[in-house]
Amino acid sequence: RSCVRSVGDRKLRFDVTGRLESECWNKMRLFLAMLMCAGFSQMAFLRPLASGAASAGRRETYLRSSHHEAGAPSETAPSEVHSLRRWGLGLVAAALAALGLRNQPAKAASFPVQGNEDIMKPKAHGSTEFPVQEVLRWKVDRATADRICSYNRHFAEYAGYWSSTNFLKEASREGETFYDSVSGKPLFVAPTGRSWKDFEKESFTHGWPSFRDEEVNWENVRCLPGGECVSVDGTHLGHNIPDAKGNRYCINLVSVAGLPPTV
């Protein structure tokens, strides 16, 4: 129960953070828009002031130069006006730059959760303590599953294998939980934050089930420095292959076809 609650809390924090970020940016954009208007108004106000000041400066230069000896340096127009104009331009430029940052894709600050090589150190059965479960879901091939899960760090089931199984016939469109084929621990829940159609389309496009940050149970999943995605018990799952949308976890179906432990 604590594990499920923890996972739920993590997802809740993820959703709340997104909403707070959106609200903060909306307020920031309104504030910056006001600053931009103030900056343009200031520029419009300073234009005639600068013109008049320049004329006054030229008259003052002429009068002062008449009291100086030939070759003496003359005065220029007041620098305060130019400083104010530069300030106005800088304000507008800063506002535009800040607004532009909102259109850049957000960087994943806390995901993936990193692990270290100790997770995959040799154990009783390759990188895991036990072989894969005797019965796996969706009629995936057990020998292939055991080889990929416990005796492999780089290779994968062939592209499109997942769609040749019973997965598409049996998976719940409302949200399917994917369990470790060795330990039976929950690793992914999909779709989360998108439709089944989107999940299926992305998986077909890339050839393997593809998950996003919010679909990962980070209590039981880690990513190693090279991008390898593994379970905390040493099961090889796949790799993190980021794209324009963010982290994308390209996962072997044979690695996540387990059954939950029976109580």
Side-chain angles (χ1 to χ4, degrees), residues 28-200:
M28 180 66 74
R29 292 175 70 179
L30 177 62
F31 175 70
L32 292 175
M34 295 172 63
L35 286 181
M36 287 174 63
C37 291
F40 282 120
S41 300
Q42 184 69 27
M43 293 299 297
F45 169 75
L46 289 174
R47 191 175 294 110
L49 176 61
S51 177
S55 299
R58 285 193 293 272
R59 289 194 297 272
E60 183 180 0
T61 299
Y62 174 77
L63 293 174
R64 289 191 179 189
S65 63
S66 64
H67 293 86
H68 289 177
E69 298 179 357
S74 59
E75 299 285 335
T76 59
S79 61
E80 289 79 7
V81 174
H82 297 290
S83 297
L84 288 173
R85 293 185 69 182
R86 287 194 296 270
W87 175 84
L89 287 172
L91 178 64
V92 173
L96 290 173
L99 287 174
L101 289 176
R102 179 57 179 156
N103 295 325
Q104 296 179 0
K107 296 182 178 179
S110 56
F111 300 112
V113 176
Q114 296 291 325
N116 56 57
E117 283 293 329
D118 288 342
I119 296 174
M120 301 300 285
K121 66 184 180 181
K123 303 179 184 68
H125 190 78
S127 60
T128 61
E129 289 290 348
F130 306 99
V132 298
Q133 298 174 358
E134 289 293 332
V135 178
L136 297 172
R137 292 195 293 171
W138 309 309
K139 293 186 177 180
V140 303
D141 184 71
R142 185 174 182 275
T144 300
D146 194 58
R147 183 171 63 254
I148 289 178
C149 290
S150 303
Y151 294 96
N152 166 63
R153 301 291 301 277
H154 307 289
F155 298 102
E157 64 197 24
Y158 65 81
Y161 172 80
W162 69 284
S163 61
S164 71
T165 68
N166 284 359
F167 173 75
L168 291 174
K169 298 177 183 178
E170 300 174 4
S172 171
R173 270 54 178 172
E174 300 303 318
E176 183 66 61
T177 300
F178 298 78
Y179 298 92
D180 190 326
S181 292
V182 176
S183 69
K185 292 181 179 178
L187 304 179
F188 303 92
V189 178
T192 301
R194 55 176 171 171
S195 67
W196 174 268
K197 182 179 179 180
D198 290 336
F199 167 74
E200 187 177 295

Side-chain angles (χ1 to χ4, degrees), residues 172-246:
S172 171
R173 270 54 178 172
E174 300 303 318
E176 183 66 61
T177 300
F178 298 78
Y179 298 92
D180 190 326
S181 292
V182 176
S183 69
K185 292 181 179 178
L187 304 179
F188 303 92
V189 178
T192 301
R194 55 176 171 171
S195 67
W196 174 268
K197 182 179 179 180
D198 290 336
F199 167 74
E200 187 177 295
K201 180 181 178 181
E202 185 170 62
S203 298
F204 267 115
T205 298
H206 297 287
W208 288 267
S210 296
F211 302 92
R212 297 293 174 173
D213 287 331
E214 59 270 29
E215 295 173 324
V216 185
N217 182 339
W218 293 110
E219 295 292 331
N220 301 320
V221 177
R222 296 290 184 269
C223 278
L224 305 187
E228 183 182 7
C229 190
V230 302
S231 77
V232 293
D233 296 301
T235 305
H236 173 83
L237 305 177
H239 288 82
N240 177 25
I241 307 176
D243 58 18
K245 297 179 182 178

